[in-house]
Amino acid sequence: MKAFDYSRADSPAAAAALAAQFEGARFIAGGTNLLDLMKLDIETPQHLIDVNHLGLDQIDATPDGGLRIGALVRNTDLAADARVRKDYALLSRALLAGASGQLRNMATTAGNLLQRTRCPYFYDTAQACNKRKPGSGCAAIGGVSRQLGIIGVSAACIATHPSDMAIALRALDAQVETISADGSTRSIAMADFHQLPGDTPHVETSLAPGELITAVALPPPVGGTHVYHKVRDRASYAFALVSVGLILQKDGGGRIAVGGIAPKPWRVEAAEALLPQGAKAVSTRLLDGATPTQDNQFKVTLVERTLASVLAQARDDA
């Protein structure tokens, strides 16, 4: 690990201001992903800003009947919150499907959103990776790509986003709240938060340099039956080959977000309108334009079968 400087911020605005002072500075809270990347020389920040003491660790009701989740709420606490379990069960179930109990005890809401891909070529510094070193190429293209993306990818990158939590937040129409160095705040829809790779796969979110996530806001509950199912190579502590988050409503409509197939949580609202026609129709529209490799062509069928299973479970539960 390379040497770095360390600061502890005493307010969200101060943290963002510190980040503006030091080029390439990074915020650190739980550090469950960042520290691993630093040990591997994938991330080499010269300055770390500790944000653990900013008071962003509460879950509060909002005036419109939703919830505001502080950026530093630990994944374990969020999954266990009675309001989340009752009204946003998809989020609780997605969180419990991710990582181990020890990691969930440390991982934060903001950190979960910002975790980086687990593409093996990104982690191997001897391989070309446009995420790690822009312009160097993508060794995954033409390499072993079984776990990688089939839609939303580009000629520069076929990595997937690893978060389970983000899948649920996309289905729930969450908003990401931030603060910048000048003290200005904004709210970013989950649909717009993660970016597709295009020609700049190293640009993974719509955050500006130094912009700090302060909270995630959930709208009022949408009701319905919530199901999250994650298909993976082993039963625990593994990232998704395909995951499906479903909210099935009483009228037969619903919301669907899919993980393990794209550089961001994948949701196509036009596909949701086809739910009454069944999993085949939905998955065909959901994956329109997919470009799988020979290694991961199976994911096309796996999405359809997982969605069919999740729909059957939701209807039984309802």
Side-chain angles (χ1 to χ4, degrees):
M1 184 184 290
K2 297 187 184 309
F4 58 87
D5 294 324
Y6 170 89
S7 298
R8 178 179 290 184
D10 57 11
S11 72
L18 274 172
Q21 293 178 28
F22 303 102
E23 184 177 355
R26 294 294 305 272
F27 302 117
I28 186 166
T32 57
N33 187 207
L34 177 59
L35 290 177
D36 284 343
L37 296 175
M38 290 174 65
K39 292 173 185 176
L40 295 170
D41 280 342
I42 295 169
E43 294 268 10
T44 56
Q46 296 182 15
H47 200 106
L48 291 185
I49 301 167
D50 187 341
V51 295
N52 277 298
H53 308 280
L54 302 186
L56 302 176
D57 57 353
Q58 300 298 313
I59 305 171
D60 300 308
T62 58
D64 66 355
L67 288 179
R68 186 175 185 272
I69 303 162
L72 296 175
V73 173
R74 307 292 164 166
N75 286 180
T76 294
D77 296 331
L78 182 56
D81 186 271
R83 296 161 295 182
V84 173
R85 293 177 63 189
K86 176 179 179 290
D87 294 327
Y88 305 95
L90 181 62
L91 176 56
S92 181
R93 292 169 182 174
L95 283 163
L96 292 174
S100 64
Q102 293 94 329
L103 285 173
R104 291 195 300 269
N105 287 343
M106 289 299 297
T108 62
T109 299
N112 192 310
L113 287 176
L114 296 174
Q115 63 180 300
R116 306 198 68 186
T117 183
R118 270 34 178 218
C119 172
Y121 296 95
F122 172 75
Y123 270 79
D124 185 351
T125 56
Q127 300 289 338
C129 175
N130 288 317
K131 274 189 180 296
R132 183 170 17 85
K133 185 178 180 181
S136 64
C138 176
I141 298 176
V144 178
S145 54
R146 179 175 179 273
Q147 293 182 307
L148 303 179
I150 63 173
I151 195 164
V153 297
S154 73
C157 181
I158 61 172
T160 58
H161 192 267
S163 172
D164 293 287
M165 183 188 79
I167 305 303
L169 293 179
R170 178 67 180 92
L172 291 165
D173 287 331
Q175 299 277 328
V176 181
E177 299 178 0
T178 71
I179 188 169
S180 297
D182 62 1
S184 62
T185 61
R186 64 171 174 152
S187 185
I188 308 167
M190 270 298 296
D192 302 321
F193 183 76
H194 294 104
Q195 301 295 298
L196 295 180
D199 296 327
T200 56
H202 61 290
V203 180
E204 297 177 348
T205 73
S206 56
L207 293 174
E211 191 172 9
L212 175 70
I213 297 173
T214 55
V216 172
L218 296 177
V222 297
T225 302
H226 294 217
V227 179
Y228 186 79
H229 186 65
K230 180 176 180 179
V231 180
R232 44 192 164 177
D233 283 328
R234 59 179 186 267
S236 65
Y237 196 36
F239 295 96
L241 290 171
V242 165
S243 60
V244 173
L246 170 69
I247 302 173
L248 184 66
Q249 295 167 329
K250 290 183 178 180
D251 61 3
R255 303 180 184 184
I256 302 164
V258 182
I261 63 170
K264 61 187 292 184
W266 197 252
R267 182 180 175 195
V268 178
E269 281 83 345
E272 296 167 355
L274 303 177
L275 269 169
Q277 299 179 34
K280 176 67 173 179
V282 173
S283 62
T284 298
R285 179 63 184 88
L286 187 77
L287 298 179
D288 185 29
T291 55
T293 67
Q294 184 175 354
D295 283 353
N296 62 25
Q297 174 70 40
F298 73 94
K299 287 193 177 187
V300 175
T301 303
L302 188 58
V303 168
E304 179 187 342
R305 292 180 177 176
T306 305
L307 179 57
S309 175
V310 166
L311 275 169
Q313 180 182 342
R315 288 166 179 156
D316 287 346
D317 291 348

